[in-house]
């Protein structure tokens, strides 16, 4: 059935690379899908421009926004607001100098699934800063975070599994507020920190790799890897 195959290809294969009117300095790449390219997603790359880039206007169908390497030192909600932001799925803020985020910083990004804050200068994270989104992956590695309360990764309602990378920080204490929502953390990377005692991860549905040991390793390279083993 060559026609059917052709039809499927037409329907599913993305048409990558078309460029689009984009904010000066940024680079936009459009992927179109569907019959006659009826459906499109845009990746916007505004990396390496400078702190004046925020807030940057982005196309309405933007799914991925790269704001890395811009010397940003603080990020608030008015820098992540405007048409296109509400439906953003992935945001890269890595390699900046961000030392401050606010409880409301990501509050407008209601469909955000992936957030990269690695290689910044964060020392602490405000409560509730991730509570308004649907985050499935958050990279906080290579910051200066001193302690962490796992409840901040609990998402409201959904209970969506989240992968958290906290490697290469200065974390000495991982705690949890009793009585608050239990986060559905799927994997937690605490390698390269300064843990003084084994974190209280009771009730958190971490999934461990079956070999070489069934436990989460907290030695030099402490990792709780992602491979699902318990629940199919
Ligand atoms: C966000 O930060 C910018 C620059 O520091 C400031 O002008 C603006 O008023 C801030 N917005 C909010 C909502 O705090
Ligand atoms: C945890 O983080 C370290 C350092 O960033 C990395 O080398 C390692 O691969 C990570 N482990 C997993 C399971 O992702």
């Amino acid at each position: 059935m060559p026609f059917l195959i052709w039809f499927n290809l037409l329907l599913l294969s993305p048409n990558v690379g078309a460029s689009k009117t984009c904010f000066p300095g940024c680079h936009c790449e459009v992927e179109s899908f569907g019959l006659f390219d009826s459906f499109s997603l845009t990746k916007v790359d505004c990396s390496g421009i400078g702190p004046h880039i925020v807030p940057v206007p982005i196309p309405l169908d933007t799914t991925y926004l790269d704001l890395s390497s811009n010397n940003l030192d603080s990020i608030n909600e008015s820098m992540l607001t405007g048409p296109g932001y509400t439906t953003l799925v992935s945001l890269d803020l890595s390699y900046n100098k961000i030392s401050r985020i606010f409880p409301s910083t990501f509050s407008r990004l209601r469909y955000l699934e992936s957030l990269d804050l690695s290689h910044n200068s964060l020392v602490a994270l405000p409560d509730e800063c991730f509570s308004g989104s649907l985050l499935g992956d958050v990279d906080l590695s290579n910051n200066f975070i001193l302690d962490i309360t796992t409840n901040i990764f609990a998402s409201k309602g959904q209970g969506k599994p989240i992968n958290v990378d906290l490697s290469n920080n200065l974390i000495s204490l991982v705690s949890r507020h009793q009585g608050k929502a239990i986060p559905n953390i799927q994997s937690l990377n605490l390698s390269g920190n300064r843990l003084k005692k084994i974190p209280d991860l009771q009730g958190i549905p971490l999934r461990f790799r079956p070999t070489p040991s069934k436990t989460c390793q907290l030695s030099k390279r402490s990792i709780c890897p992602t491979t699902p083993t318990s629940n199919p």
Side-chain angles (χ1 to χ4, degrees):
M1 296 212 176
F3 173 75
L4 208 64
I5 292 167
W6 175 83
F7 187 77
N8 276 342
L9 281 174
L10 186 73
L11 216 60
L12 298 175
S13 59
N15 170 14
V16 194
S19 52
K20 192 171 200 172
T21 328
C22 197
F23 191 76
C26 300
H27 177 78
C28 296
E29 197 176 275
V30 186
E31 286 186 7
S32 311
F33 303 81
L35 201 53
F36 308 116
D37 295 341
S38 50
F39 170 62
S40 67
L41 301 171
T42 301
K43 288 182 170 185
V44 181
D45 177 357
C46 300
S47 61
I49 296 168
H52 60 276
I53 191 66
V54 292
V56 58
I58 54 175
L60 272 177
D61 59 359
T62 304
T63 44
Y64 172 83
L65 175 62
D66 186 350
L67 288 173
S68 63
S69 308
N70 277 321
N71 272 319
L72 298 166
D73 54 18
S74 128
I75 281 280
N76 67 24
E77 65 181 299
S78 37
M79 297 165 176
L80 299 172
T81 303
Y85 283 87
T86 323
T87 50
L88 202 62
V89 173
S90 178
L91 175 65
D92 187 349
L93 286 166
S94 64
Y95 293 94
N96 281 291
K97 295 176 180 164
I98 301 168
S99 58
R100 278 189 69 165
I101 55 175
F102 303 89
S104 60
T105 293
F106 305 109
S107 62
R108 311 273 178 111
L109 312 179
R110 296 181 48 211
Y111 294 96
L112 193 67
E113 288 177 14
S114 167
L115 175 64
D116 190 347
L117 278 164
S118 65
H119 298 273
N120 277 290
S121 307
L122 291 166
V123 173
L125 298 166
D127 283 354
E128 313 278 308
C129 62
F130 304 127
S131 67
S133 59
L134 299 170
L135 278 178
D137 280 287
V138 58
D139 189 347
L140 291 158
S141 64
N142 298 282
N143 279 278
F144 304 105
I145 300 170
L146 296 169
D147 52 52
I148 196 90
T149 309
T150 53
N151 303 83
I152 66 164
F153 302 110
S155 59
K156 283 198 181 108
Q158 304 265 338
K160 192 179 167 188
I162 184 170
N163 301 308
V164 180
D165 190 346
L166 282 164
S167 62
N168 301 327
N169 277 280
L170 303 172
I171 299 171
S172 59
L173 185 67
V174 177
S175 58
R176 187 154 65 91
H177 289 309
Q178 301 298 328
K180 284 206 180 175
I182 294 171
N184 191 1
I185 298 178
Q186 185 163 278
S187 80
L188 178 64
N189 193 337
L190 284 167
S191 127
N193 279 288
R194 298 181 175 175
L195 289 174
K196 292 191 186 114
K197 59 176 204 174
I198 296 184
D200 174 15
L201 301 174
Q202 209 186 349
I204 296 175
L206 285 168
R207 288 173 174 68
F208 308 137
R209 210 166 260 165
T211 52
S213 126
K214 281 202 164 125
T215 53
C216 167
Q217 300 179 357
L218 288 163
S219 57
K220 250 189 208 158
R221 301 223 142 247
S222 61
I223 47 171
C224 305
T226 57
T227 319
T229 52
S230 42
N231 299 4

